[in-house]
Amino acid sequence: MRRATALRRILVLGFVILSNMNYASTVFAGTNVWTSNGPEGGRIHALAVDPTTPDTIYAGTYAGGVFRSTDAGANWSAIDIGLGSLDDQAFFTLAIDPVTPTTLYIGSSDGGVFKSTDSGESWSAVNTGLTLLRIYCLAIHPGTPTTLYAATWGHGVFRSTNSGESWTAVNTGLDSSALYVYSLAIDPVTPDILYAGTHGGAFRSTNSGGYWSPVNAGLTNPHAKTLAIDPMTTTTLYAGTNGGVFKSTNSGGNWSPINTGLTNFQVNTLAINPSSPTTLYAGTVGGVFQSRNSGEDWSMVSSGLTSTEVRALVIDLTFCHKCVREMV
């Protein structure tokens, strides 16, 4: 397979250990500094870490295809077989089966959902029932990974109960603006509860997408581009919008802005430290921000970034126990 030459950078914060996190560890290369970990070239939209083999990382790009590293980002190879033409094709979202991590799903800008059962060596389209092939987000049921959800742009949410072989729209309760879906989040404790971040705000379903209700009180910016659930207290949610970060402590019943210290309010992505959920990160068009007190205040942690438009973040606690991998 060809070596990745068409990616901009995946910058790794975690080979550089954060000294202001509440852990005792060795500092490998600096403090609060992002270092390039390759590959170089076009824009990266999606990033995922294998939950059982964290040295294996996947990256989805715009017009560059999909790439895999098996050595924590030191080297990258293209894994494009079956993805069709890569010209102007963006891969927005990656999801790994938590039970069988060799099974992957990727959502694209105009090719729908692709599935691999061999760690990305080959891909097949799994689009039966999808009425739109622009997929912004994929989410897998944590206990029943044959069930997954796809967020589309204009046609709402789709659900598959057979590992992507067929899809059914689950949009009851979503209004017309909410059919433009940015993000999905599944409650890890009660997976029948899921949330959709849409062009029309946040919505919640308590029956696996069977019916949706708006949960927007206090959400003054309706563009809920990214959602994150506290893994220990799942009634606590965060929403990243074009107007900053909002927090709910009652399952979306109401929201409050938590933007103290943010210097850029256009938030593209959020990540919560699963072992210490009071620590979270916001990726914005102006860099990365960290909060160590559940969003009460934020500090910029962007030193070393060569591009500050951050599109996704993922935290990997099994590698060095506190790695934050970020992509631009």
Side-chain angles (χ1 to χ4, degrees), residues 66-257:
V66 182
F67 293 84
R68 181 183 62 207
S69 172
T70 58
D71 54 10
N75 296 280
W76 295 85
S77 298
I79 48 172
D80 298 333
I81 295 174
L83 294 178
S85 174
L86 303 179
D87 294 341
D88 296 323
Q89 177 94 296
F91 296 95
F92 292 127
T93 177
L94 278 160
I96 300 177
D97 186 314
V99 176
T100 309
T102 53
T103 296
L104 317 172
Y105 301 87
I106 193 163
S108 69
S109 59
D110 54 27
V113 180
F114 293 88
K115 178 181 179 180
S116 174
T117 58
D118 54 10
S119 302
E121 290 294 322
S122 60
W123 300 87
S124 299
V126 285
N127 292 326
T128 300
L130 288 177
T131 57
L132 188 78
L133 300 183
R134 188 176 184 88
I135 310 298
Y136 269 142
C137 184
L138 293 168
I140 299 179
H141 190 293
T144 309
T146 53
T147 295
L148 55 155
Y149 301 85
T152 73
W153 192 243
H155 288 215
V157 180
F158 287 75
R159 180 179 64 207
S160 173
T161 58
N162 55 8
S163 304
E165 293 305 310
S166 60
W167 299 85
T168 303
V170 285
N171 292 325
T172 303
L174 296 179
D175 60 30
S176 57
S177 63
L179 296 178
Y180 296 84
V181 185
Y182 294 106
S183 58
L184 296 167
I186 299 178
D187 186 313
V189 176
T190 310
D192 287 345
I193 298 175
L194 61 151
Y195 300 86
T198 80
H199 193 68
F203 285 74
R204 180 180 65 212
S205 173
T206 59
N207 59 356
S208 303
Y211 185 83
W212 298 89
S213 301
V215 284
N216 289 322
L219 197 64
T220 55
N221 189 294
H223 300 268
K225 297 172 71 175
T226 179
L227 296 169
I229 301 176
D230 185 314
M232 295 185 183
T233 307
T234 59
T235 53
T236 295
L237 314 173
Y238 300 88
T241 76
N242 287 340
V245 182
F246 291 78
K247 180 180 179 180
S248 172
T249 58
N250 57 1
S251 303
N254 53 64
W255 300 84
S256 300

Side-chain angles (χ1 to χ4, degrees), residues 235-309:
T235 53
T236 295
L237 314 173
Y238 300 88
T241 76
N242 287 340
V245 182
F246 291 78
K247 180 180 179 180
S248 172
T249 58
N250 57 1
S251 303
N254 53 64
W255 300 84
S256 300
I258 50 167
N259 294 321
T260 301
L262 286 182
T263 58
N264 192 296
F265 282 13
Q266 188 170 332
V267 181
N268 294 326
T269 182
L270 294 168
I272 299 177
N273 185 328
S275 68
S276 178
T278 56
T279 298
L280 55 152
Y281 299 85
T284 78
V285 297
V288 181
F289 292 81
Q290 179 197 54
S291 174
R292 297 175 60 202
N293 54 11
S294 302
E296 293 301 310
D297 56 66
W298 300 85
S299 300
M300 181 177 282
V301 285
S302 295
S303 179
L305 289 180
T306 56
S307 172
T308 57
E309 185 175 352

Side-chain angles (χ1 to χ4, degrees), residues 51-70:
T52 59
T53 311
D55 280 352
T56 297
I57 311 169
Y58 300 90
T61 77
Y62 172 76
V66 182
F67 293 84
R68 181 183 62 207
S69 172
T70 58

